[in-house]
Amino acid sequence: MQQPTRRQALAGAAGVAAGLGFAQAAAASPPDTPAALRRAGELTRGMSLEEKVGQLFVLEVYGQAADTVHAGNRSLYGVDTPAEVLEKYRPGGVIYFDARRGPDNVRAPRQIARLSNGLQRASRLPLIISVDQEGGSVVYRLTDPATLMPGNMALAASGAARDSHDSARVIGTELAAVGINQNYAPVADVNINPENPVIGVRSFGSDPGLCAELVASAVRGYHRGRVASAAKHFPGHGDTDTDSHTGLPEITHTREELDRIDLPPFRAAVRRGVDTIMTAHIVVPALDPSGVPATMSHPIVTGLLREELGFEGLIVTDALDMRGASGEFPPDVAPVRALQAGCDQLVLAPQTDVAYAAVLDAVRSGELSEERIDASVRRVLLHKLRRGLFLRPYVDEDRAERVAGRRRHRAVARAVTDRTVTLVRNADGLLPLDPGTARSVLVTGWGVTTTATLADAIEDHPGQTTQVLQTGSRPSAARIEEAVAAARAADLVVVSCNAAAAWGEGGVAQAALVEAVRATGTPVVAVAVRNPYDIRRFPAVPAYLATYSYGAPSLDAVARALYGELNPGGRLPVSVPTLDDPEATLYPFGHGLSY
């Protein structure tokens, strides 16, 4: 592909706003200098109110190309193509999703890069193009051939800040290559609640000091990868038992506990120069007794984050279409309240026409001052200047294809993943298995792809034959009976479990499967492919490994660990309590076995 010249890039970024001085302002001096601040101010003063308000929105667009008609755009915005969405609202940013949510923006590296370039050309100002690519197998958008790096809790199990840095650098490098300039990562929540339904392995663990160290190293890694970083979810979502996607959680920590547990990773991120901080839809009475979510709380967003912690970058909301926000505030209220609290950008505000009009009306009526809006617009523009988006809005589509999943990135992923596998229990020295002994292995439990991938990795070892019996996240009695019959005929059973300690009836059923196959007398190895807490439900299982992920690199690593080709060196980054008494410890923080 022939790349646009620098002059063309600047003209495309400035769009029809060139007459307002945007093109001249685009030749930004180094960030955080008086000249950069002055240019951000000049840009802001040259914009209409409608253009300013547009910069406060981060929208999703449907489709894989800027000029392709998609029914999702018509349904949400009343126009047909992503380019028309940008023309209508002039947003400050967009966020990419895969087909699971619907927008289906990310298929292949060249396609993503072409979409990014198309959106930048269609935008009157350069766009912040963002994504949630946290690593691991819980929150991610780009898949193969993009490199799959371990998630946060796995990285914490390795115990090496360098691994957190290198993982973020690889992710950032691949995102930047396809034109994504903002990753909504790392997660800075300290997961001290084993029942947390939404954070879990997305966190670096339960130790605030370790979380702070690894958050800071991740921020540095993303910057090395030339992508902006975002610490989330402020002021800390780690001790909740409600998912803010479906409800409004409450954090009951005292201010002293918040300072000791929840805030250290965010303080570390600010010190390291994190670009963006994302707020949480959680109620924190110790910080704001009014009962409003943190996203809509002036004492939390402005008082604590902006003034006390001294954060000067972008503050963005978590998705406003989540029930933690939309359940409490209608579409014409939530965006105004978030801006009044001190947020700079509104991510996925539902009913965009209503939300956009509500902000305009609030400014015109005086409910929101234009000075307040200008402050956020200046920060948005300064962020774009800082990231070089006026000078370099486009990416090389050929290079995008070469960078995603490049060999050295996959080598980093394998090396880091190998250090994360954690052997929690190994009764009677069941592991490692003798690789020279022929055996039949039953691979059962959660996940069609997971069990099949794990079985393939086991069969890579000579003399090992496998049978796969996928039972789902809530095994039925009939399915358990099938597994028992197969276990009796096998030499070894490997059971994949996923959040068995947290998923109510599903967890009980997964535990019943483990106990039923164990009762056959056939040796059993349980593999926790998400949260490491699952052994709470079956503490007597002979062997138990935690991978923190069901991605192929993790499953390959655990298969090699079974046969002693990999000596598991991971250590639990959380403590695992007993099931009956959450105050009693089954396995402490830092526990881990090796051969």
Side-chain angles (χ1 to χ4, degrees):
M1 170 191 171
Q2 183 177 2
Q3 297 303 304
T5 66
R6 181 180 178 209
R7 183 180 299 277
Q8 289 170 332
L10 291 176
V16 299
L20 299 176
F22 291 157
Q24 293 87 341
S29 55
D32 301 324
T33 64
L37 293 168
R38 183 172 63 252
R39 283 187 168 87
E42 291 169 352
L43 284 165
T44 302
R45 287 191 292 275
M47 298 170 75
S48 68
L49 177 59
E50 290 77 9
E51 288 171 320
K52 292 178 186 177
V53 170
Q55 290 296 297
L56 308 182
F57 283 80
V58 177
L59 306 180
E60 60 184 338
V61 292
Y62 280 69
Q64 298 160 34
D67 57 356
T68 299
V69 173
H70 194 292
N73 296 313
R74 171 60 60 177
S75 175
L76 281 183
Y77 307 119
V79 295
D80 293 317
T81 69
E84 290 170 336
V85 174
L86 300 186
E87 176 63 26
K88 180 175 182 178
Y89 298 103
R90 306 175 192 179
V94 297
I95 180 170
Y96 286 168
F97 287 98
D98 55 19
R100 290 174 296 176
R101 179 176 168 106
D104 197 14
N105 304 131
V106 290
R107 288 286 187 91
R110 182 183 293 274
Q111 169 269 314
I112 302 169
R114 185 175 295 122
L115 171 62
S116 299
N117 285 341
L119 293 177
Q120 294 290 14
R121 290 189 186 93
S123 182
R124 299 187 175 208
L125 285 172
L127 287 166
I128 299 173
I129 300 179
S130 57
V131 76
D132 292 294
Q133 188 78 3
E134 295 176 6
S137 53
V138 178
V139 177
Y140 62 93
R141 310 297 176 221
L142 277 66
T143 57
D144 190 69
T147 304
L148 178 58
M149 298 302 300
N152 284 358
M153 194 172 286
L155 294 168
S158 86
R162 184 72 195 184
D163 286 346
S164 173
H165 169 276
D166 289 349
S167 177
R169 176 178 54 80
V170 167
I171 293 172
T173 299
E174 296 193 359
L175 293 182
V178 299
I180 296 170
N181 51 59
Q182 167 77 78
N183 193 13
Y184 286 145
V187 171
D189 305 313
V190 181
N191 198 86
I192 63 171
N193 188 345
E195 308 296 335
N196 195 319
V198 65
I199 302 301
V201 293
R202 299 170 62 194
S203 163
F204 283 112
S206 62
D207 182 79
L210 179 62
C211 289
E213 179 185 13
L214 299 188
V215 163
S217 64
V219 169
R220 182 169 174 267
Y222 284 123
H223 288 168
R224 287 288 301 277
R226 300 187 180 278
V227 72
S229 56
K232 61 186 184 184
H233 309 80
F234 189 82
H237 207 315
D239 189 17
T240 61
D241 56 11
T242 300
D243 184 346
S244 52
H245 291 84
T246 58
L248 180 59
E250 180 174 332
I251 297 287
T252 59
H253 292 181
T254 65
R255 178 57 203 260
E256 186 278 330
E257 289 171 328
L258 289 161
D259 283 329
R260 177 169 52 85
I261 299 169
D262 301 282
L263 294 178
F266 292 101
R267 293 184 187 275
V270 172
R271 287 194 299 269
R272 180 56 74 179
V274 70
D275 309 88
T276 303
I277 290 182
M278 178 180 285
T279 63
H281 306 321
I282 56 174
V283 172
V284 190
L287 297 176
D288 185 349
S290 72
V292 301
T295 298
M296 284 79 175
S297 169
H298 190 274
I300 294 175
V301 177
T302 297
L304 177 58
L305 179 54
R306 190 68 78 192
E307 296 174 356
E308 185 176 332
L309 270 62
F311 179 60
E312 297 179 352
L314 272 185
I315 301 175
V316 305
T317 70
D318 204 346
L320 291 176
D321 60 0
M322 294 163 56
R323 289 291 296 172
S326 63
E328 300 293 316
F329 298 94
D332 61 333
V333 175
V336 175
R337 290 293 298 271
L339 293 169
Q340 288 174 329
C343 295
D344 298 311
Q345 283 197 309
L346 310 165
V347 179
L348 298 176
Q351 298 183 35
T352 305
D353 282 343
V354 173
Y356 182 83
V359 175
L360 283 174
D361 291 345
V363 177
R364 289 166 177 155
S365 70
E367 186 180 2
L368 272 172
S369 70
E370 191 158 359
E371 290 76 16
R372 168 68 197 88
I373 295 298
D374 287 352
S376 284
V377 173
R378 282 194 298 270
R379 278 191 284 268
V380 171
L381 296 172
L382 186 60
H383 175 98
K384 295 178 180 184
L385 290 165
R386 181 183 293 120
R387 302 308 307 173
L389 299 184
F390 283 97
L391 290 171
R392 298 178 297 276
Y394 304 121
V395 294
D396 184 325
E397 293 169 17
D398 292 330
R399 181 175 181 274
E401 203 162 45
R402 295 194 302 270
V403 169
R406 62 175 29 156
R407 183 177 301 176
R408 67 173 176 265
H409 289 175
R410 290 180 182 260
V412 171
R414 180 183 171 100
V416 172
T417 301
D418 284 356
R419 290 190 284 271
T420 68
V421 176
T422 307
L423 179 59
V424 177
R425 180 172 165 82
N426 190 21
D428 301 322
L430 173 61
L431 300 178
L433 302 168
D434 181 354
T437 300
R439 63 175 62 79
S440 63
V441 182
L442 170 65
V443 181
T444 188
W446 179 87
V448 174
T449 302
T450 297
T451 50
T453 303
L454 190 51
D456 287 344
I458 289 171
E459 280 202 340
D460 284 342
H461 298 80
Q464 311 301 295
T465 59
T466 62
Q467 176 185 354
V468 178
L469 181 64
Q470 195 271 334
T471 61
S473 59
R474 185 180 296 185
S476 66
R479 205 66 169 155
I480 291 174
E481 286 183 12
E482 288 183 54
V484 166
R488 289 195 177 104
D491 299 313
L492 177 74
V493 181
V494 177
V495 184
S496 164
C497 50
N498 184 327
W503 282 356
E505 292 181 4
V508 171
Q510 289 188 54
L513 170 67
V514 173
E515 294 297 345
V517 295
R518 187 174 73 86
T520 65
T522 302
V524 176
V525 179
V527 180
V529 297
R530 185 168 173 172
N531 300 334
Y533 307 107
D534 291 353
I535 195 171
R536 299 172 70 196
R537 288 202 183 272
F538 35 82
V541 67
Y544 178 81
L545 294 115
T547 66
Y548 314 93
S549 168
Y550 46 85
S554 296
L555 298 177
D556 176 71
V558 82
R560 286 184 284 119
L562 292 177
Y563 295 93
E565 297 167 8
L566 185 160
N567 190 3
R571 298 294 180 262
L572 286 174
V574 295
S575 62
V576 178
T578 64
L579 190 63
D580 296 332
D581 182 2
E583 300 301 318
T585 299
L586 184 61
Y587 293 100
F589 174 93
H591 170 81
L593 306 173
S594 296
Y595 302 144

